Amino acid sequence: MRIGSWLLPNPVFVAPMAGVTDRPYRQLCKRLGAGYAVSEMAASNPKLWNSVKTSRRLDHDGEIDPIAVQIAGADPDMMAEAALFNIKKGARIIDINMGCPVKKVCNVASGSALLRDETQVARILASVVQACRPYDVPVTLKTRTGWDRDSRNAVRIAALAESIGIAALTLHGRTRADLYQGKAEYNTIKEVKQSIGIPVIANGDIDSPEKAQFVLQYTGADAIMIGRAAQGRPWIFREITHFLETGTHRAPPTIGELRNYLLEHLEDHYRFYGEFTGVRSARKHIGWYLAGMPDSQALLDCINNTENTTDQTRALEQWFNRQVPETPVSTMPAPAPAA
């Protein structure tokens, strides 16, 4: 599919996730088959642009094009200013967040809180699209099916977005009230796809090749976007792409390959964040990679108590040295139950 003038290599995308889809993670996912990756959400408030946190989120050095940056906010002029700021920093696609359900975002009328004010949605979309048009930068929108189940308005929002000039729409199959609970529903995504002509990207609970194929076929969506299922499993993108292309399953990575992916990720992660922040922010990624692995709890206890990257890496290497490198990750024995 295309987003503006950008032809993407496959329809399996990485969802923007705060605190997760930083540059090292996006680059790894792209190397392992993701056709497109959007940065974690960046604030539209100019007062935050020079903060260490935001500066990292806007660091795209060496990243494979198209660089896509997600912005969030409630003020149309400020959102347009944020779009232009990010274009100057290298953004090739601007994505607008109207789907984040967390309180700190919704309490300032951003994210999915905007779904309760369609007039303001139109103002924000028009302001950002108009700002990006002279630079030939397409604008996309990520949103949810509505504020709650009694007020699903995704079809109206989608039509509004298309009429204003949004280039593609990502729709998560939950309302804001659902948060991440229960199951995503795909009927609304199907309705949206049938009602508009721009590309639609389906998001929500896609965690396997079979589920990806089902969602694409059922909704008619042009692509899928994967979030939580890719945490600690960045090779899911090549698994799904292979299945969609061939109808067969690609062999899972071996424990030796897992070792290489994890240590490569950590090396890039440490370099990106530095020693102090790197060793701490890496803990969640390590926990996702090793969830359910034998002896993982003892290892993770050690990892979470290390204060430097050298000790963190050494603990992992010692654990991997006790494993059989050729063992497929999917057949690793589950940890023994507690006595």
Side-chain angles (χ1 to χ4, degrees), residues 133-262:
R133 187 171 287 128
Y135 300 90
D136 197 28
V137 170
V139 180
T140 60
L141 172 66
K142 188 173 191 296
T143 188
R144 288 191 167 220
T145 58
W147 175 254
D148 57 33
R149 297 184 186 186
D150 294 325
S151 58
R152 288 193 177 105
N153 58 347
V155 172
R156 290 199 305 275
I157 294 289
L160 185 65
E162 182 179 35
S163 69
I164 289 171
I166 291 296
L169 174 75
T170 300
L171 186 58
H172 184 111
R174 287 182 172 88
T175 68
R176 188 274 168 181
D178 291 326
L179 299 176
Y180 294 100
Q181 300 168 354
K183 295 181 179 180
E185 58 92 7
Y186 306 112
N187 289 330
T188 304
I189 300 177
K190 183 177 182 178
E191 289 180 47
V192 166
K193 175 58 188 173
Q194 292 173 342
S195 69
I196 60 175
I198 60 175
V200 173
I201 303 149
N203 177 221
D205 294 353
I206 300 169
D207 58 3
S208 69
E210 290 84 357
K211 188 67 173 288
Q213 184 181 66
F214 164 76
V215 171
L216 284 169
Q217 292 177 346
Y218 182 77
T219 64
D222 302 274
I224 53 169
M225 185 169 276
I226 299 171
R228 289 172 293 168
Q231 294 174 353
R233 190 183 164 195
W235 52 85
I236 190 174
F237 301 100
R238 72 179 187 188
E239 290 180 338
I240 290 176
T241 301
H242 181 84
F243 186 80
L244 294 176
E245 291 175 351
T246 69
T248 63
H249 287 278
R250 180 180 176 131
T254 64
I255 196 71
E257 289 175 311
L258 170 61
R259 176 188 185 279
N260 293 338
Y261 297 147
L262 175 50

Side-chain angles (χ1 to χ4, degrees), residues 246-285:
T246 69
T248 63
H249 287 278
R250 180 180 176 131
T254 64
I255 196 71
E257 289 175 311
L258 170 61
R259 176 188 185 279
N260 293 338
Y261 297 147
L262 175 50
L263 294 181
E264 174 191 351
H265 186 181
L266 289 181
E267 182 180 358
D268 199 12
H269 188 91
Y270 297 151
R271 188 165 50 245
F272 185 72
Y273 285 100
E275 180 78 16
F276 182 84
T277 301
V279 73
R280 288 159 177 78
S281 57
R283 292 168 182 165
K284 62 177 178 288
H285 287 284

Side-chain angles (χ1 to χ4, degrees), residues 62-106:
E63 190 168 352
I64 301 170
D65 272 336
I67 294 167
V69 175
Q70 185 179 80
I71 59 175
D75 180 87
D77 293 336
M78 197 175 288
M79 287 286 281
E81 187 180 357
L84 293 176
F85 176 79
N86 281 283
I87 290 171
K88 293 175 183 177
K89 297 280 287 186
R92 302 291 182 260
I93 297 172
I94 295 294
D95 185 58
I96 298 175
N97 183 306
M98 291 187 182
C100 182
V102 301
K103 286 185 178 180
K104 68 178 182 180
V105 174
C106 289

Side-chain angles (χ1 to χ4, degrees), residues 265-323:
H265 186 181
L266 289 181
E267 182 180 358
D268 199 12
H269 188 91
Y270 297 151
R271 188 165 50 245
F272 185 72
Y273 285 100
E275 180 78 16
F276 182 84
T277 301
V279 73
R280 288 159 177 78
S281 57
R283 292 168 182 165
K284 62 177 178 288
H285 287 284
I286 297 170
W288 291 328
Y289 277 106
L290 301 182
M293 296 290 188
D295 304 322
S296 62
Q297 191 55 57
L299 171 63
L300 293 176
D301 289 343
C302 174
I303 291 293
N304 291 335
N305 287 308
T306 56
E307 296 294 331
N308 63 76
T309 58
T310 300
D311 289 345
Q312 202 170 66
T313 303
R314 183 184 298 117
L316 285 166
E317 289 177 334
Q318 290 173 348
W319 182 85
F320 278 112
N321 288 340
R322 296 194 298 269
Q323 313 304 320

Side-chain angles (χ1 to χ4, degrees), residues 47-64:
K47 295 179 181 179
L48 301 176
W49 292 347
N50 291 323
S51 68
V52 172
K53 186 175 182 180
T54 299
S55 295
R56 285 200 185 104
R57 291 186 173 188
L58 303 182
D59 185 339
H60 312 289
D61 188 37
E63 190 168 352
I64 301 170

